[in-house]
Amino acid sequence: MNGSALVWLPVAVSSVLLVWALRRTRPRTGGGEPRLLDLSEAAFLTGGPGGVVDTALVALLGDGRLTAGGPGIVQARPGAPAADTAERAVLRACGQAPSGWLYQVRYAAMRDPAVQEVGDGLAARGLLAAPGRGRGVRLWGVVQAAVCGVLFVLSLPLTLFTLAVSGGGGLAAGVSVPFALLAGAVVGAVCARRAARRVTPQGRRALRAMRALYVGDGSPQAQTALFGLRTLRDPYLAPLLIPAARQARLAAAQHRAQAGRSGRSGGGSDACGSSGAEAVPVVWCAGSADSGGGSGCGSSGDGGWGGSGCGSSGGSSCSGSSSSSSCSGGSSSSCSSSSSS
């Protein structure tokens, strides 16, 4: 075995096994064409639990069942009905929010079991990968891409020097080493990117079909469900919901840091950094786009999410801020309005 084979053979074996492992991690789907049941499922594929809650908030704020009493403050109209489980989750969260801050309502609603179960249903039908699935494959791909990339850079001057000394002899053998390393880096990067995707190919097809079904519906609710808050142009809703999603991202980072500190200090905590039997474990709180992996949870490309983080515009399914809100949404006091003008 010559020297070049010592390089390209392990790279080839690792790449083949990596592709095989990636295929094994993808959820299996049943027979028939994949389809979504409603806009809540489309919103979950587009932006995770945050996408579902944002869609419900658009509907509730749009018809007055929720009203804005100040910058970032909302309250529910007494006796306001809910059209679906997501809207009921929002109204419950509003009834538990200690101060009526919209981003706290958003957090608590994302944690609601009814919203979380949307993801469970999609995963059961093979349209969405469960949290944590493919993590090992992604790490494998990242390591392979990094190692092959570094060795590729280092191999270039050595290959040129060898060819110059040999007077061009053994050109094929000399070129095969950097080519194999480059191919290994590309395969590793592509597999890592695909492993980070939450939405499966069947899920993306189902989402495209749902978008085609609503192609003529320009309502804010449908557009938010199908494409996320990035498409929201309503002059009343956008200034309310987009900052709330931004605040949710900051609160999520704070809670993750608090959870990490409490974990290191020996205290038990859930995904939000709270502890105790009343804490609701957040399962569907990770994810980013169809077109890529990484962290964060924005929708992009065809829609979808992967990586870590939550919500179509970011955020997390943990609730609260560093100062006033707990992970479970706070006390049982109703949403309050700071000024109803």
Side-chain angles (χ1 to χ4, degrees):
M1 182 181 292
N2 58 36
S4 61
L6 293 175
V7 175
W8 60 256
L9 184 58
V11 171
V13 170
S14 178
S15 298
V16 170
L17 292 177
L18 178 58
V19 172
W20 177 77
L22 176 63
R23 290 179 62 87
R24 284 182 59 86
T25 62
R26 305 317 295 170
R28 299 287 184 239
T29 58
E33 186 66 19
R35 57 185 294 269
L36 301 178
L37 303 180
D38 52 31
L39 283 175
S40 289
E41 291 195 337
F44 205 103
L45 290 183
T46 300
V52 178
V53 174
D54 288 334
T55 302
L57 285 169
V58 166
L60 291 167
L61 287 165
D63 60 19
R65 285 174 289 166
L66 276 183
T67 58
I73 305 292
V74 295
Q75 73 174 45
R77 194 183 70 205
D84 55 29
T85 56
E87 292 183 5
R88 279 192 289 274
V90 171
L91 292 176
R92 277 195 298 270
C94 188
Q96 295 172 351
S99 60
W101 283 104
L102 180 56
Y103 80 94
Q104 294 176 1
V105 172
R106 184 179 187 269
Y107 261 145
M110 289 168 67
R111 292 170 50 83
D112 193 281
V115 174
Q116 296 285 310
E117 286 169 4
V118 177
D120 296 337
L122 291 167
R125 284 151 41 211
L127 306 181
L128 195 62
R133 189 160 188 161
R135 187 175 299 164
V137 174
R138 183 185 179 195
L139 178 61
W140 182 354
V142 169
V143 171
Q144 176 172 312
V147 171
C148 288
V150 171
L151 293 179
F152 170 75
V153 173
L154 296 177
S155 71
L156 290 178
L158 182 60
T159 300
L160 294 176
F161 175 77
T162 302
L163 293 176
V165 170
S166 63
L171 178 62
V175 171
S176 68
V177 171
F179 178 79
L181 292 171
L182 179 60
V186 171
V187 170
V190 170
C191 288
R193 186 179 179 89
R194 289 184 179 274
R197 292 178 180 174
R198 279 295 180 80
V199 183
T200 66
Q202 294 83 357
R204 292 194 291 275
R205 288 207 309 272
L207 182 58
R208 285 194 294 268
M210 181 65 81
R211 287 172 174 172
L213 183 64
Y214 282 86
V215 69
D217 190 340
S219 65
Q221 182 180 2
Q223 292 298 303
T224 301
L226 297 171
F227 300 100
L229 288 180
R230 61 193 174 92
T231 63
L232 189 61
R233 298 292 183 266
D234 186 282
Y236 168 65
L237 297 174
L240 286 172
L241 295 177
I242 294 176
R246 192 177 300 118
Q247 290 172 314
R249 285 199 298 272
L250 176 60
Q254 292 171 341
H255 274 95
R256 282 194 295 270
Q258 291 169 2
R261 286 195 297 269
S262 64
R264 286 191 296 270
S265 63
S269 64
D270 69 354
C272 299
S274 64
S275 60
E278 74 281 1
V280 180
V282 178
V283 176
W284 293 104
C285 185
S288 180
D290 162 47
S291 59
S295 61
C297 215
S299 68
S300 72
D302 216 14
W305 48 301
S308 64
C310 269
S312 60
S313 298
S316 160
S317 57
C318 314
S319 66
S321 68
S322 59
S323 58
S324 62
S325 168
S326 71
C327 221
S328 59
S331 66
S332 60
S333 59
S334 63
C335 289
S336 61
S337 166
S338 61
S339 81
S340 57
S341 57

